[in-house]
């Protein structure tokens, strides 16, 4: 697999943003799932870096957390990855990858482009994450799926819509000037070979 040095650097930067956004955490009393800006970081990673580096940046945080680095809310280890919010975390890298794949097919200009980008961000940056997060929450707490939806989905819908809108406002103008290929340096002169 070939990775560019610039792409690796921006992936590390986006990983750091994800970690930083995890410290912006608002607990809501009735649910073990806090309100954070982490899904915004996932949206930005896929939208700005494209599928490969978007996936890499978020997967880096997940893997390092799994092996013990305190990167998610200041904690780490498999207990975090397999804990009550683990189902959300597992999906983050795939979410970033799919956002990158689908946004590459959308012209981000005009109302239609912005609206389609918003739908992609909401679908893959929010709803897809709930598809694994809510069932895992139900399993961890031995609750019904309905109760898991009440605790792990419904309270966050409005916030996720706002994050997706905010992400579009950031991603669209940046991609016009720095498309993912340019931002991550995917040119022959800046490619370094990484054995995989």
């Amino acid at each position: 697999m070939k990775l560019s040095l610039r792409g690796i650097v921006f992936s590390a930067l986006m990983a750091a943003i994800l970690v930083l956004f995890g410290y912006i955490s608002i607990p809501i009393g009735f649910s073990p799932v806090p309100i954070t800006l982490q899904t915004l970081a996932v949206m930005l990673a896929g939208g700005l870096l494209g599928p490969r580096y978007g996936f890499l940046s978020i997967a880096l945080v997940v893997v390092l957390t799994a092996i013990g680095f305190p990167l998610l809310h200041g904690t780490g280890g498999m207990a975090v990855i397999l804990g009550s919010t683990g189902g959300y975390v597992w999906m983050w890298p795939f979410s970033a990858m799919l956002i990158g794949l689908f946004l590459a097919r959308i012209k981000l200009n005009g109302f239609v482009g912005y609206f389609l980008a918003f739908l992609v961000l909401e679908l893959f940056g929010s709803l897809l994450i709930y598809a694994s997060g809510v069932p895992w929450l139900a399993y961890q707490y031995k609750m019904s799926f309905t109760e898991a939806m009440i605790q792990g989905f419904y309270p966050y819908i409005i916030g996720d819509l706002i994050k997706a809108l905010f992400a579009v406002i950031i991603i669209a103008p940046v991609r016009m000037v720095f498309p993912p290929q340019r931002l991550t340096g995917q040119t022959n002169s800046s490619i370094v070979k990484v054995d995989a």
Side-chain angles (χ1 to χ4, degrees):
M1 182 167 100
K2 292 183 178 180
L3 298 173
S4 76
L5 183 58
R6 188 185 300 175
I8 293 169
V9 169
F10 274 102
S11 294
L13 177 63
M14 196 57 70
I17 290 171
L18 172 61
V19 172
L20 177 65
F21 281 7
Y23 284 99
I24 303 168
S25 179
I26 304 169
I28 56 176
F30 63 89
S31 172
V33 183
I35 295 172
T36 73
L37 293 179
Q38 289 169 309
T39 50
L40 175 59
V42 172
M43 293 176 191
L44 293 175
L48 296 175
L49 302 182
R52 177 189 294 178
Y53 292 102
F55 177 90
L56 178 65
S57 65
I58 305 303
L60 180 65
V61 174
V62 175
V63 170
L64 290 177
T65 299
I67 62 176
F69 286 84
L71 300 180
L72 296 181
H73 313 286
T75 58
M78 288 305 293
V80 175
I81 300 300
L82 298 176
S84 59
T85 59
Y88 301 95
V89 174
W90 308 334
M91 192 58 74
W92 288 349
F94 303 101
S95 173
M97 180 181 69
L98 290 168
I99 287 169
L101 282 171
F102 280 87
L103 282 187
R105 291 159 173 76
I106 297 172
K107 290 186 178 181
L108 292 175
N109 54 9
F111 175 79
V112 173
Y114 275 62
F115 181 71
L116 290 174
F118 172 80
L119 290 180
V120 166
L121 290 166
E122 183 59 26
L123 179 61
F124 297 115
S126 178
L127 299 179
L128 178 66
I129 294 171
Y130 290 116
S132 61
V134 172
W136 184 253
L137 182 68
Y139 169 76
Q140 283 289 307
Y141 282 92
K142 309 287 189 286
M143 62 176 70
S144 69
F145 186 74
T146 302
E147 182 62 25
M149 291 288 283
I150 292 169
Q151 291 196 26
F153 176 66
Y154 296 134
Y156 309 97
I157 295 172
I158 300 297
D160 286 337
L161 292 170
I162 294 169
K163 283 184 264 187
L165 181 62
F166 192 60
V168 170
I169 292 169
I170 294 172
I171 291 167
V174 171
R175 281 181 72 121
M176 287 180 190
V177 179
F178 297 104
Q181 296 81 5
R182 182 175 175 197
L183 190 64
T184 57
Q186 295 176 353
T187 63
N188 291 334
S189 61
S190 61
I191 297 289
V192 292
K193 188 173 182 180
V194 177
D195 293 329

